[in-house]
Amino acid sequence: MANKEYKKGEIYSHQEYIELSIIEMRKSKSEHSDKTDPKVGAVLVDPEGRLVETAHRGEIRSGDHAEYSIFSKKLRAKDVSGYTLYTTLEPCVERNHPKMGCSFHTIDARIAKVFIGHKDPDPTVAGDGVYLLEKAKIAVDFYDKKYSDIIAKENEQFFKEARQRAKEANDREITPSLTPFQKELTNFEITDFSEEAQRVMIERMGLKFKMGTDAYNTFLYKLSLIKVKEKTNTAKPTGLGLLLLGKEPELEFPQARLKFTIRTQGQDPIIKDFNGPLVLLPDKIEEYLEVVFPKHVTRTNFPRDEKRDIPYRALLEVIMNAIVHRDYTLNPKIMIDVDDNKVVVSSPGIPLAPIEKFRTFSVASNSRNPKIAFILFEMGLVEERGFGMEELSKLEKNGFQKPTFELDNNVLKTTLFRGSSSTITTDVKDLKGLKELLEHKTLTSAKYVELTGVSERTARRHLNDLVKAGKAQKSGDGPATEYLLIE
């Protein structure tokens, strides 16, 4: 990214304005010594496309946010109605009184459109700034994935600390929820949460508190999974909490069901519904996919041969992304239609990125449901950031037809094509995790994560592949499962 000279009053391209905001971001000045502050850059463009102003965090005074510097310091007396703002990070909602969040400064400035480089990494507030802007009739769009990844890399430590703070219990005041799904459901009780779902979430997220404790309830409150009435000291589930942890979320949200329809020539369709708490759905679906699309492995000698006619990992990621990113305010269910030639995954909701970005695999990893995304990611149920798009982009190279994306009214349809059984030959020595297993003799998924840095879900996949290859055997169940080397 060239550090070219930009002149105010000149017209530059959309890409150049994005790159300029990243250049500004890199100039940011931190004001804290006990925590990492985000690097943020902002660029303002007039309706004719001319560069008007730039700013970065701490540019004028320590602690000043970039958007605040533009609207309240540099252009305080200027009418910027209808202008376009480029900002590397989702505008904040709350600041310590009497300061006002950058979302409100942007709204007060009557900006017409905001391009955002990356959503707020703190899952307790992520998406709230976007919600406020859209509620004020301001158009919102996002940077392409390659720029979003740059911003995440530059802010890696801040993002890590923000996500960790969301998993810790503390006494700070919690920002009130903004979206309807984060409001309480008066006809449900905390006892309507599934104990199994809560236990699995606590174990897989590595939370340091137990179900029912004050610390645990604070965690639920911070993520808007419950609402607390201070006068009566009682709590109620929110819509979000019921979706993630409810015993029967379909009682309130029938659209949360997921439906498989499998059509094979000459046979009656097989229909299977999945319902229940979202935190338990991914494992159930993965088990079902193993039945629907089994791997045919020959172990008469090594190297081993695996035969399959579907890009299994890519399909799994498409389904998981549908669960994480769909619009739960819409009535249709997630549909997975399987026939002899293809699999179509239908996800309700107009995606946050234009359909053209899907076709070029350049969609940034911004979620409509950041709290759902955070919990499922921390549980190891969705892959690393951007993994799904990367898997889809490799299909042609791996011998499968290029996937297609279609927007049918307000439903995103992703089609993966089946091919004649392709054979993948894998030498045992190339199996992921074998080196670590040979060295340590016994591994858990947590230990494997520590050794390799992969996600929890990737760790379980690698270790289970070793079991299937006859190089390891499982002992125990759940997060404490041990994988023992077979000599």
Side-chain angles (χ1 to χ4, degrees):
M1 190 180 300
N3 238 342
K4 63 179 289 184
E5 182 181 359
Y6 290 86
K7 296 180 180 179
K8 294 177 185 177
E10 296 292 324
I11 295 177
Y12 299 96
S13 69
H14 172 66
Q15 178 177 317
E16 287 173 316
Y17 284 132
I18 289 176
E19 293 179 352
L20 177 57
S21 71
I22 293 174
I23 291 169
E24 286 293 318
M25 172 193 73
R26 288 172 170 155
K27 299 176 184 176
S28 294
K29 301 169 186 175
S30 179
E31 69 268 21
H32 292 100
S33 59
D34 58 339
K35 66 177 183 178
T36 305
D37 292 305
K39 300 176 183 178
V40 182
V43 173
L44 191 66
V45 178
D46 71 15
E48 285 72 42
R50 294 187 292 261
L51 174 61
V52 176
E53 191 55 84
T54 63
H56 54 267
R57 185 185 181 98
E59 178 180 358
I60 299 175
R61 187 181 65 180
S62 178
D64 281 354
H65 290 195
E67 299 95 327
Y68 168 78
S69 295
I70 286 180
F71 298 130
S72 297
K73 290 289 186 72
K74 294 186 172 185
L75 301 175
R76 187 169 187 171
K78 185 176 178 63
D79 180 7
V80 294
S81 302
Y83 284 35
T84 296
L85 176 69
Y86 291 79
T87 180
T88 57
L89 193 65
E90 178 182 2
C92 62
V93 174
E94 292 288 327
R95 298 206 66 189
N96 293 333
H97 184 76
K99 295 179 179 178
M100 187 168 66
C102 292
S103 295
F104 296 102
H105 287 295
T106 304
I107 292 168
D108 288 349
R110 297 184 176 86
I111 295 301
K113 185 166 188 174
V114 180
F115 287 97
I116 296 174
H118 203 292
K119 278 197 173 181
D120 195 313
D122 183 344
T124 66
V125 296
D128 287 350
V130 171
Y131 176 80
L132 285 174
L133 295 176
E134 292 182 333
K135 189 177 179 182
K137 308 301 182 186
I138 295 174
V140 176
D141 202 347
F142 297 92
Y143 292 14
D144 281 358
K145 182 180 182 299
K146 67 176 181 179
Y147 295 115
S148 178
D149 288 347
I150 291 171
I151 294 164
K153 184 66 175 176
E154 290 280 344
N155 284 284
E156 185 173 5
Q157 184 59 31
F158 169 71
F159 281 23
K160 181 179 179 181
E161 291 176 15
R163 295 173 70 88
Q164 183 58 37
R165 282 194 293 271
K167 296 168 64 175
E168 296 172 350
N170 55 43
D171 297 325
R172 70 179 176 87
E173 184 178 347
I174 307 300
T175 303
S177 298
L178 297 174
T179 66
F181 264 76
Q182 296 175 27
K183 294 180 180 177
E184 69 179 62
L185 298 174
T186 57
N187 54 333
F188 287 87
E189 304 293 338
I190 298 301
T191 53
D192 289 309
F193 281 171
S194 159
E195 288 192 9
E196 180 190 4
Q198 294 178 86
R199 176 182 56 78
V200 170
M201 179 183 72
I202 290 170
E203 289 177 354
R204 290 196 175 176
M205 288 186 72
L207 300 179
K208 299 178 180 179
F209 28 75
K210 295 182 179 179
M211 193 188 316
T213 63
D214 289 344
Y216 175 64
N217 290 334
T218 297
F219 167 78
L220 296 179
Y221 181 47
K222 286 172 67 175
L223 284 171
S224 299
L225 305 187
I226 63 172
K227 279 296 175 188
V228 178
K229 291 185 177 181
E230 294 182 6
K231 290 183 179 180
T232 59
N233 197 30
T234 57
K236 291 278 190 179
T238 64
L240 190 63
L242 194 70
L243 276 171
L244 280 160
L245 300 171
K247 296 174 185 174
E248 298 179 281
E250 58 274 8
L251 295 178
E252 181 74 12
F253 307 112
Q255 66 270 34
R257 290 188 177 97
L258 184 147
K259 181 185 290 290
F260 271 84
T261 303
I262 302 174
R263 295 179 175 87
T264 303
Q265 189 172 4
Q267 299 181 23
D268 292 335
I270 299 172
I271 297 174
K272 183 173 179 61
D273 279 5
F274 288 88
N275 51 34
L278 293 188
V279 299
L280 299 182
L281 277 189
D283 281 345
K284 293 178 181 178
I285 292 168
E286 187 163 4
E287 288 177 7
Y288 187 63
L289 288 178
E290 291 280 4
V291 174
V292 176
F293 305 108
K295 284 193 278 189
H296 305 288
V297 183
T298 60
R299 293 194 181 93
T300 52
N301 52 40
F302 291 111
R304 63 179 186 164
D305 288 338
E306 297 178 354
K307 293 186 177 181
R308 57 182 66 157
D309 73 341
I310 189 72
Y312 176 81
R313 286 293 156 191
L315 173 59
L316 185 59
E317 289 308 314
V318 171
I319 295 173
M320 296 308 162
N321 284 336
I323 292 172
V324 171
H325 302 305
R326 68 150 293 173
D327 187 343
Y328 283 96
T329 67
L330 301 178
N331 289 327
K333 305 176 183 70
I334 295 172
M335 307 289 288
I336 298 98
D337 292 287
V338 182
D339 64 27
D340 293 335
N341 300 311
K342 63 187 180 299
V343 180
V344 180
V345 180
S346 299
S347 177
I350 297 174
L352 297 180
I355 198 72
E356 290 74 20
K357 289 188 179 182
F358 284 84
R359 291 166 179 158
T360 57
F361 310 107
S362 59
V363 179
S365 54
N366 293 305
S367 176
R368 178 182 280 104
N369 307 299
K371 293 174 177 62
I372 294 175
F374 167 70
I375 288 175
L376 295 188
F377 177 84
E378 291 294 327
M379 288 179 64
L381 296 173
V382 293
E383 284 283 8
E384 297 91 340
R385 183 177 302 279
F387 178 84
M389 278 290 119
E390 291 177 12
E391 279 288 288
L392 293 175
S393 70
K394 297 173 183 176
L395 292 186
E396 280 191 293
K397 185 175 69 174
N398 292 332
F400 291 99
Q401 187 175 335
K402 184 178 180 180
T404 64
F405 303 91
E406 174 190 2
L407 194 57
D408 184 2
N409 292 323
N410 55 4
V411 175
L412 174 65
K413 292 187 174 182
T414 303
T415 301
L416 301 180
F417 295 94
R418 305 176 73 166
S420 57
S421 291
S422 58
T423 301
I424 303 172
T425 302
T426 306
D427 197 297
V428 173
K429 69 178 184 297
D430 294 327
L431 281 167
K432 298 287 183 65
L434 181 59
K435 174 176 170 288
E436 289 76 15
L437 185 62
L438 289 171
E439 180 180 349
H440 294 274
K441 309 301 181 185
T442 301
L443 289 173
T444 63
S445 58
K447 181 64 176 178
Y448 188 72
V449 168
E450 180 185 332
L451 293 171
T452 63
V454 300
S455 72
E456 171 68 22
R457 181 164 155 227
T458 299
R460 287 189 284 116
R461 170 157 55 89
H462 289 176
L463 294 171
N464 284 323
D465 282 346
L466 290 172
V467 173
K468 293 171 185 176
K471 299 303 294 180
Q473 67 180 36
K474 293 172 70 169
S475 174
D477 193 22
T481 299
E482 291 185 328
Y483 296 80
L484 311 175
L485 175 68
I486 297 176
E487 299 287 357

